[in-house]
Amino acid sequence: MNRAVTLSEVAREAGVSPSTVSRILNGTARVNDTKARQVRLAIEKLGYTPNTFARSLATGASGSIGVLTPDIASPFYNDALSGIERGLMGSGYSPIIISGHWRTDEEEHAVALLLNRRVEGMIILGGQMPDHDLHALAARLPIGVLGRTIDLGAHGGASLAMDNRQSARDLVNYLIGRGHRVIGHISGPSDHADARERLDGYRDALEERGLRFDPTLVVQGDFQEPSGLIGMQRLLQSHSNMTAVFVANDQMAYGARLALYRLGLRVPDDMSLVGFDDLPGSSYTMPPLTSVRQPMGEMGQWLARYILSRLRGETIEPFEPRQELMLRESVASRRSR
Amino acid sequence: MNRAVTLSEVAREAGVSPSTVSRILNGTARVNDTKARQVRLAIEKLGYTPNTFARSLATGASGSIGVLTPDIASPFYNDALSGIERGLMGSGYSPIIISGHWRTDEEEHAVALLLNRRVEGMIILGGQMPDHDLHALAARLPIGVLGRTIDLGAHGGASLAMDNRQSARDLVNYLIGRGHRVIGHISGPSDHADARERLDGYRDALEERGLRFDPTLVVQGDFQEPSGLIGMQRLLQSHSNMTAVFVANDQMAYGARLALYRLGLRVPDDMSLVGFDDLPGSSYTMPPLTSVRQPMGEMGQWLARYILSRLRGETIEPFEPRQELMLRESVASRRSR
DNA sequence: CTGTTAGCGCATTCAG
DNA sequence: CTGAATGCGCTAACAG
């Protein structure tokens, strides 16, 4: 970049002092109209762009909020990113987004980077970072956490998390209510809290309805499509009497759906299928997939607003995210007995 | 943020001068091992984090690359974002991502913001910004443009764009080759260059094979799922003899697929369907969707590398993105005649 | 209302 | 090898 124009150059061009230019730029004080006009002209003529660094250094405020997402291309977390953008819009703050790629070391590196950039608040989406680090962060600046149940204390930060267990339980209960008795489960990675909770919910529902939990009806996937496909194949081989499958997320459900298609099995006639997360595409699968929706966009937006309110010393009404069962056509009723 | 620790405080704590600390931090010069150790200790003890602003102000280098994407949650552009991350990884530069939401004013605002942040290079994904602005930008710093055919001159910047027209033509030619004669088209918005080019390719293929272009076989959508559904319904009403539909992007193809399902029409038996973009989900639709893939990830990665090479005064081997027809099961052969 | 002065935190001369 | 001095571009008292 070939030497950008500075504020003093503008001042010289307009024949005023630097402080006057600064005042006009920031509206810090009233300024003679004529001079103001001259300054604007000079800015235009020189193509001046204020240097954020210098400004931040002088004011001590960066005007930016750090956002740590596990994956910049994740269909699941991106909704939250959009929400954060919306929440920050018009506030004068802008988000700085970094991905941690589900790796603790990268996440820590990302946080360090954000801290170096003197973000005034931080929003953490999911991720692997130990709670311990999160608490340390919360002590330094306002933070918002999405997708993890963690107590950050009154003034430490806010966290928004869905009750995965309850939703999974509702979902499986729904299947049972529709007459299904042999219900498989394709789970997520066992080191993933969400995955474990969803599995727990599956067990809860079975036990609640007096159905035996059969470990062979559970196969583990990795939350990606291919593992759903493989998981379904394996379940099908061992359990010919299975009539429904609860898949721990929609992405794997897509894979499972394909496995059924390949075998000529119809959904929901031959097999009922439910997912989790309600990705945008799930209304358009064949047939549309029953799933549970988390209001990621709204959660992101609220977290952004929360950070802003903390920064301004205001309070904000709490937000109670409501998970919603999206009942669609991928589930059939079976005569019980 | 409660007054962060500064370099001088570290210096005092370690009993050395600020410059020494700076040298150790940046490895600018050899320093006595004992002092180095003391400094590291002090840094650890005080929890010092270098202030990026101050550093950038002093060095004149921000170490960041601006990225303008139309939509932070777009499944189409996100691959490119991942690619950019990969391309920048380990370079010492980090991306600053902003969305323009397909609005010229927001895009211009975003560019201004990036310029204020003194990004050293910029990558523009798609977007609405007039070519004129892009040229102006290219004159200031190295830029890379993805998804637009624009000549930025030798040292202005690089642009990577797919030949939409050619790909569309290939796709429709493929349909014709499989025996289809009455082929519908659900197009994108007419003010969208990609959409127009894909429509042109559709015409090209028809004319090339001596088939008449029938405007009533073309309905316009907006690149979103619902418009694909509606588009398909409309085509079906007016053209009972239609056997295949070329949908201008995968998202709309999903909608079209659902319309067919609702009417009990099978794909590909009753209707062949092809999309465009090859979204990640398209391998998992029912049946898997024939589409054309653009290597968004690699393109993004290359653009990042291109910017880096420009910044370092190096040259980089050119990249020729190759579009690829992903032939899957959504197309059936028809006996011609 | 406006100019002058003094830093913000750091890298980088320039002398030791 | 290391400390002192200077300035990056801007804002914020401080006096007019």
Side-chain angles (χ1 to χ4, degrees), chain A residues 76-77 147-148 164 192-199 223 294:
Chain A
F76 182 60
Y77 288 104
R148 300 173 55 151
N164 281 295
H192 198 301
D194 290 355
R196 284 196 307 271
E197 292 170 19
R198 291 171 196 183
L199 173 57
F223 276 160
Q294 313 193 34

Side-chain angles (χ1 to χ4, degrees), chain A residues 162-172 193-205 207 246 276 323:
Chain A
M162 302 301 312
D163 190 338
N164 281 295
R165 184 165 184 166
Q166 183 59 46
S167 290
R169 183 172 146 181
D170 290 348
L171 213 43
V172 175
D194 290 355
R196 284 196 307 271
E197 292 170 19
R198 291 171 196 183
L199 173 57
D200 286 343
Y202 164 78
R203 286 183 78 138
D204 287 350
E207 286 166 7
F246 161 41
F276 206 105
Q323 47 220 340

Side-chain angles (χ1 to χ4, degrees), chain B:
Chain B
M1 193 126 88
N2 25 355
R3 276 265 312 97
V5 184
T6 72
L7 183 145
S8 347
E9 299 180 58
V10 172
R12 200 174 320 133
E13 173 77 24
V16 300
S17 80
S19 13
T20 302
V21 179
S22 170
R23 288 194 261 264
I24 294 177
L25 247 35
N26 304 298
T28 316
R30 273 218 59 73
V31 171
N32 182 304
D33 275 6
T34 325
K35 296 198 173 176
R37 198 150 344 102
Q38 286 176 126
V39 168
R40 286 189 206 300
L41 233 64
I43 289 179
E44 188 70 24
K45 176 177 173 195
L46 266 38
Y48 168 73
T49 355
N51 184 325
T52 310
F53 301 143
R55 174 176 295 177
S56 297
L57 192 57
T59 59
S62 67
S64 50
I65 305 293
V67 180
L68 180 59
T69 176
D71 180 2
I72 189 71
S74 151
F76 182 59
Y77 288 104
N78 277 351
D79 253 7
L81 290 184
S82 295
I84 292 171
E85 274 186 345
R86 249 178 289 128
L88 251 33
M89 187 167 295
S91 69
Y93 285 88
S94 41
I96 298 188
I97 303 169
I98 312 203
S99 331
H101 300 119
W102 298 107
R103 295 179 36 171
T104 312
D105 57 338
E106 280 198 50
E107 290 181 9
E108 279 166 357
H109 184 254
V111 166
L113 210 98
L114 291 173
L115 252 20
N116 291 352
R117 275 174 155 49
R118 294 297 184 268
V119 295
E120 298 178 44
M122 229 184 267
I123 298 180
I124 317 280
L125 307 181
Q128 303 286 304
M129 196 181 312
D131 284 10
H132 169 79
D133 291 358
L134 252 25
H135 281 115
L137 257 186
R140 293 188 60 163
L141 36 67
I143 76 172
V145 178
L146 193 159
R148 299 174 55 153
T149 28
I150 174 176
D151 185 13
L152 291 167
H155 51 265
S159 82
L160 249 35
M162 303 300 312
D163 190 338
N164 281 295
R165 184 164 186 167
Q166 182 60 46
S167 291
R169 184 171 146 180
D170 291 347
L171 212 44
V172 176
N173 252 322
Y174 167 70
L175 289 175
I176 298 174
R178 300 274 271 172
H180 296 277
R181 290 297 173 266
V182 183
I183 304 172
H185 178 49
I186 302 178
S187 72
S190 55
D191 63 350
H192 198 302
D194 290 354
R196 284 197 307 272
E197 293 169 19
R198 291 171 196 182
L199 173 57
D200 287 342
Y202 164 78
R203 287 184 76 139
D204 287 350
L206 293 183
E207 286 167 5
E208 186 181 332
R209 306 287 284 250
L211 296 175
R212 198 175 56 83
F213 170 76
D214 175 359
T216 68
L217 271 169
V218 178
V219 301
Q220 192 179 115
D222 62 5
F223 276 160
Q224 305 294 314
E225 285 87 347
S227 72
L229 190 148
I230 294 169
M232 180 59 89
Q233 287 173 337
R234 285 177 43 208
L235 282 176
L236 251 20
Q237 276 165 18
S238 50
H239 294 275
S240 54
N241 57 340
M242 184 176 69
T243 62
V245 176
F246 161 42
V247 190
N249 78 347
D250 282 8
Q251 274 177 270
M252 290 197 296
Y254 299 164
R257 176 71 190 87
L258 184 56
L260 293 167
Y261 176 78
R262 293 264 180 264
L263 293 168
L265 293 173
R266 294 162 304 169
V267 173
D269 315 67
D270 300 317
M271 185 68 67
S272 290
L273 201 63
V274 301
F276 206 105
D277 291 344
D278 192 36
L279 295 187
S282 295
S283 324
Y284 289 93
T285 56
M286 221 74 353
L289 182 67
T290 289
S291 189
V292 25
R293 144 180 288 277
Q294 312 193 36
M296 298 300 280
E298 294 166 51
M299 290 165 92
Q301 185 168 356
W302 185 84
L303 284 176
R305 297 244 165 95
Y306 165 78
I307 302 281
L308 291 178
S309 73
R310 284 282 309 278
L311 254 23
R312 304 201 258 242
E314 304 167 0
T315 53
I316 184 176
E317 73 286 10
F319 177 63
E320 204 49 64
R322 281 186 326 175
Q323 47 220 341
E324 191 179 352
L325 248 52
M326 306 302 292
L327 303 181
R328 291 193 275 249
E329 300 149 56
S330 64
V331 175
S333 279
R334 299 193 67 90
R335 273 174 286 282
S336 7
R337 192 124 339 213

Side-chain angles (χ1 to χ4, degrees), chain A residues 10-11 22 123 131 135 139 141 149 174 208-209 230 233 239 243 248 273 287 309 327 333:
Chain A
V10 173
S22 170
I123 299 180
D131 283 10
H135 280 115
L141 37 65
T149 29
Y174 168 70
E208 186 180 333
R209 306 289 283 251
I230 294 168
Q233 287 172 339
H239 294 275
T243 63
L273 200 64
S309 73
L327 302 182
S333 278

